[in-house]
Structures are given as structure tokens and as C-alpha cells.
Amino acid sequence: MRWFLDLIDKHTERTLRRVAHQHGRRSLLSRLGVALVGTAVLPMLPFDRSGQFMGAQAAKPDLSDDPVKCEYWRYCAFDGYLCSCCGGSLTQCPPGTEASKVSWVGTCLNPKDGRHYLVSYNDCCGKTSCGECLCNNNERERPGYRLGVHNDINWCMANTSPMFHCTTSIIVGVA
Ligand code: ABN
């Protein structure tokens, strides 16, 4: 009888040791793995360090209404220097320059009334490059091999002086 009890004892002990051994090591390994991955991945997560969650978005100024900013709505297909930064205005060439006889016409959405307008981008000619407020937007523009729909062109070429100074943006119609 004694030998039988010893046998059960040994068997139980062996089974318990094996279970404890395997289970303990696996759970330790899995916990270690989670800790390692966690510490490596946590710093990569995006954090809002500004302390103004979603607030920054709301505070963005509306540049579509400012004629000295390239984001102004009429400049959607503009390529040149803004005449509003060069001593002229949105529609007027600076003193000493004259409007180009030909121009590129773009179609821009006015966010205020939701309508599309035809905007003529006339270059102002007769003085060297203004160099201020370079602006290059290309809505509906196409590459140079399609000349009629390409805006990267000196429109002063048909004037007495082909020197390009800056570009105006004149509304010529509603699309
Ligand atoms: N239409 C503005 C411009 C002038 C010269 C060269 C490229 C573009």
C-alpha cells in the first residue's frame, strides 16, 4: 500500500512541478514582451504637445480673404509675384509698369458666395522682377507642352517691354 501512495505522491509532484515551471516561465516571458514592446512603441505615438487639442485647428486664420497672401482665393491659378506686394494692387500695376496685352485666365472658387469666377492674370511689364511674394498655384493648369492651358509664361512678351515685374488678378466673368 505504501508503495502505491509513494507512486501517487511522485506523480502529483512531477505534474505540479511541470505545470508550475511551464506556466511561470511563459507568463514571465509574455509580461516581459509586453513591457519591452510597450516601452519601445509608446514614445512613437503621436502626442498633442500644444496642450490645445483641436484648438489649433480652430485658431487658423482665414488667408483666402487676404490679397497679400498666396492663399487668397483669386490666386488659385496664379504664377508670379503678387502686385499687391510690389507697389500695385490686386488689379492695378505698380507705377512705371503697364499691364500685359495678353494673359492667362484661371477659374477660381470664391468661398464667400460658392461661385466660380474667371480670373485674368495679367503680368505688369517694363521693370525688372519685383521679387516679393512669389506665388505659384496651379489649379486646372497643365504642363508646358499644352501651351494654351499652361500658366508658367511671361505674358509681357507682346508688350513694348518684355520685362516681367509682377502679376495682377482681375475678375473677367462668372464661370
Ligand atoms: N506670368 C508670370 C511669369 C513671368 C515670367 C516667367 C514665368 C511666369
Side-chain angles (χ1 to χ4, degrees):
M1 193 60 191
R2 174 99 193 129
W3 66 270
F4 184 64
L5 289 176
D6 280 346
L7 192 72
I8 291 177
D9 260 1
K10 279 224 161 69
H11 179 74
T12 311
E13 187 189 349
R14 239 182 285 140
T15 308
L16 281 177
R17 275 187 192 284
R18 198 179 60 230
V19 168
H21 190 63
Q22 283 179 348
H23 188 71
R25 189 171 53 190
R26 278 199 191 136
S27 69
L28 178 70
L29 279 176
S30 77
R31 273 163 212 234
L32 258 176
V34 168
L36 278 175
V37 171
T39 45
V41 166
L42 248 183
M44 289 186 223
L45 291 175
F47 283 104
D48 178 12
R49 297 179 203 278
S50 70
Q52 314 170 11
F53 178 63
M54 293 299 279
Q57 201 80 8
K60 258 190 190 167
D62 178 16
L63 302 179
S64 71
D65 205 20
D66 185 351
V68 294
K69 294 283 183 296
C70 192
E71 290 81 1
Y72 182 63
W73 72 270
R74 274 198 215 181
Y75 300 150
C76 77
F78 188 105
D79 185 348
Y81 300 109
L82 306 180
C83 280
S84 341
C85 299
C86 304
S89 72
L90 197 54
T91 55
Q92 294 284 309
C93 283
T97 63
E98 61 164 7
S100 61
K101 298 196 188 321
V102 286
S103 71
W104 151 262
V105 177
T107 305
C108 300
L109 171 71
N110 181 347
K112 282 230 167 104
D113 62 9
R115 299 172 83 180
H116 284 86
Y117 289 85
L118 301 177
V119 183
S120 174
Y121 299 109
N122 286 79
D123 288 341
C124 294
C125 320
K127 273 186 175 178
T128 53
S129 254
C130 159
E132 299 288 332
C133 303
L134 176 67
C135 179
N136 188 11
N137 293 324
N138 298 305
E139 233 174 270
R140 281 174 268 273
E141 194 247 7
R142 290 292 174 269
Y145 56 82
R146 297 192 56 196
L147 258 190
V149 279
H150 183 61
N151 69 359
D152 191 11
I153 286 172
N154 180 0
W155 298 108
C156 294
M157 61 187 147
N159 284 51
T160 319
S161 165
M163 266 196 294
F164 161 71
H165 187 64
C166 63
T167 307
T168 53
S169 308
I170 300 157
I171 292 180
V172 289
V174 181

